[in-house]
Amino acid sequence: MELEGQIEDIIYQNETNSYTIAELVTEKEVFTIVGYLPFINNGDCILVKGKFVTHQDYGRQFKVEYFEKKMPETKDALEKYLGNGIIKGIGPATARKIVDKFGDETIAVFKFEPSRLAEVKGITKERAIEIAEEFNEKWELWQIVGFLEKFGISANNSKKVYDKLGNNAIEEIQENPYILVDIVYGVDFFKIDKIAIELGTNINSFNRIKSGIKYALLVSSYNGNTCTLKESLVGFVKERLRIEEEELIEENLKDLSASGEIVIEKRDDEEWIYLIGFYQAEKNIAERIYLMENSRNIKYIEDFEKELKKQEKNLDIKLSEKQKEALNQVNDNNVSIITGGPGTGKTTIIKTLIDIYKNRGKKVVLCAPTGRAAKKMTESTGEDAKTIHRLLEIGKFEEDKLESINQEFKPIDGDIIVIDEMSMVDVFLMNYITKAIYLGTKLVLVGDSNQLASVGPGNILKDIIDSGKISTVNLDKIFRQAAKSDIIVNAHKVNNGENFLRTRSDENKDNRDCFFIQETEHDKIISQLVSLCTGRLKKYGDYDFYKSIQVLTPTRKGNLGIRDLNNKLQEYINPKSEEKKEKKYGEITFREGDRVMQIKNNYDIFWDREIDGKYENGTGIFNGDIGQITKIDETEKQLRVEFDDGKKTWYMFSELDQLELAYSITIHKSQGSEFDVVIMVLPQASPMLLTRNLLYTGITRAKKILVMIGNGRIIDFMVNNVDSKKRNTGLKYKIDELLKK
């Protein structure tokens, strides 16, 4: 739909991203419009395209998907625009005089005969020229939104472009379209490249080659790399940009290095290329770890052995020698690492640390990378754990990683900081963690380096361990109770490269918690899966699907990817019914009762919940949060989701791109979570997905029962496929170099 009118009142406008709520007066009525509307002011005449939605609290609104400014077409509209205060020196009275004097010629006077404005009483010739210049600057500003649209840049990013380039933005972009690649994170380089060449850019243009180099480095980071080997980078740029002479690429690499946009790091006989942000983040981490390690150990506890014995008695436990070693290393060092697989006693160590330091009046801070991981940490320790984002009070930095390393953050107030699930922490998050810790505070990194690496670039936990410079205890003994679990035993076998299907013992078959079902045909796998999800597991426990069971798969696509599995499972677990309302969005049909997952961070969405009779509310639902649709309201055009942690929130139908069905999720998405029952489907897929650490991560998500369905040969392949764990990073090298000193 289209609406055209004049902005009557701006109710709200976010200064950072220009998200706006305003009243638009049309010929027929006044509408509330919402959307990203940079450069909009009271009195502006605009054309908006979008659709009507109904907000739970604020009622009917028009959600803007596209807009363009129009010159005011009536005298009243023009007077209102000129008098709204955006042009310095023109208020309502002066605006009325100008419009009364020049009438329909007013805009032409501003543009082509500015000196005539001095004919209005109270305006000098000098001021007339200044007013006209400001008017025309504002008009030029209006054009930028439409101009950038052809480059695939949305309205909410156009303000960012303007803030960076100023009033000459259009001219600068026409001269060098590639500057957009630097300003807007994730922009389509090849779309800009195509337009630039159409505008006459030479294929060997330095601007083009430099932008291509930076784009190649950014693409490499999508695969977890923080840097790229020079030879590989040159080859990629030469092929994708069709550059015949390698010397041109070499010359541009030197220019980019000289201007500080990239860094060339020499390690032995190799050269590694970084975008400056990635290099600086690694350098910050290495330097802060060096400073922490070399600071005085002011939190040292003198009679630590005595304290350990007291805690063994209080907790009624017997610590192993490895656990005692881990606890002593925390006391002896400012930075320490505790790593190990499931059942090796990491949680017991954390609980013991908490008690020891709290008994000494020290503040212990617990945190994890994701909401689900923090929740798991809280449940296992009985102490409050926060996400790292919440702890540091940093927000949307992952939306623009290239500018994310120097944002403001809140220093961490604590004597000892324990971070769990460290394998999930990327280079940017670790950059903030290390900068936020006061020297003298103890940092304990807990994790399992054999799990999947972080979604973002870097391999932080593994790099720090491999440097050999930070005190690390690897818990490799499975405790007796844990050793009774086939899940835990088989996870360790996978990690050791053993095929557990052939080495499995049936000694405890009556108490088995790990099962494999050999199936290769799609329909039979689906049949087995549906049977397991709809009651077949009852004899092993009272497992409700929504509360206890999660289906995992390595892949999104294909016959047994999450799309296919979610559709099949929805059909059997939550079938279509006259009693259940539903809403189709794209290829997904959302139905009341469906299990869903949030698939992108939304820091602004409102939620409320009631826990133990206490009501609380806040903002923020995050990538990976799982819940259930409890209501679909067709009248108000929205649906409500109650998440596993009790948070309830409403989504407008236009916001459903943030959700997807979650009867089945990828193993990647499950990292940091635990489920009573995991059913893991293992189909034929890309070798890049079928890796040992993916299988290991999937197995270790199960707390009570694990069922795997697929071809045994796929498991053989995954156990032996370890190559894809490698990432190109330089943190290990930087720590080595610093701690040599």
Side-chain angles (χ1 to χ4, degrees), residues 132 561 709:
I709 311 173

Side-chain angles (χ1 to χ4, degrees), residues 347 350 366-381 383-388 418-425 446 451 622-625 645 669-675 701:
T347 299
I350 295 173
L366 305 180
C367 60
T370 67
R372 294 185 71 83
K375 182 185 176 188
K376 187 179 78 170
M377 196 179 191
T378 297
E379 290 170 349
S380 62
T381 63
E383 299 286 332
D384 183 47
K386 294 182 178 178
T387 65
I388 297 168
V418 183
I419 305 176
D420 200 8
E421 297 288 356
M422 263 302 299
S423 62
M424 300 177 72
V425 174
V446 182
Q451 285 191 31
F622 300 99
N623 192 349
D625 288 349
D645 59 1
K669 282 285 190 186
S670 74
Q671 193 169 6
S673 303
E674 281 186 339
F675 309 95
R701 298 311 92 202

Side-chain angles (χ1 to χ4, degrees), residues 316-432:
D316 193 23
I317 57 172
K318 177 67 177 173
L319 294 167
S320 70
E321 290 305 311
K322 277 277 189 177
Q323 286 177 314
K324 289 178 182 177
E325 181 187 345
L327 289 161
N328 274 296
Q329 83 165 2
V330 172
N331 191 41
D332 293 339
N333 299 276
N334 287 327
V335 184
S336 53
I337 298 171
I338 301 166
T339 183
T344 55
K346 297 193 297 292
T347 299
T348 300
I349 292 171
I350 295 173
K351 289 166 78 171
T352 306
L353 277 175
I354 292 168
D355 284 351
I356 289 173
Y357 281 89
K358 283 181 72 174
N359 288 344
R360 293 298 179 107
K362 306 295 185 185
K363 183 176 180 180
V364 182
V365 176
L366 305 180
C367 60
T370 67
R372 294 185 71 83
K375 182 185 176 188
K376 187 179 78 170
M377 196 179 191
T378 297
E379 290 170 349
S380 62
T381 63
E383 299 286 332
D384 183 47
K386 294 182 178 178
T387 65
I388 297 168
H389 283 71
R390 287 296 190 201
L391 184 65
L392 301 175
E393 295 185 2
I394 52 177
K396 308 176 186 182
F397 77 87
E398 78 278 4
E399 293 173 5
D400 191 349
K401 291 190 186 303
L402 296 185
E403 294 185 2
S404 68
I405 65 164
N406 294 313
Q407 289 189 9
E408 292 184 2
F409 58 89
K410 179 184 176 183
I412 303 173
D413 176 23
D415 296 295
I416 178 169
I417 299 160
V418 183
I419 305 176
D420 200 8
E421 297 288 356
M422 263 302 299
S423 62
M424 300 177 72
V425 174
D426 69 17
V427 69
F428 294 103
L429 198 51
M430 191 61 179
N431 167 65
Y432 277 109

Side-chain angles (χ1 to χ4, degrees), residues 566-578:
N566 275 320
N567 289 337
K568 292 291 184 184
L569 290 169
Q570 182 192 46
E571 180 183 337
Y572 287 96
I573 295 171
N574 188 33
K576 188 178 181 67
S577 163
E578 290 183 4

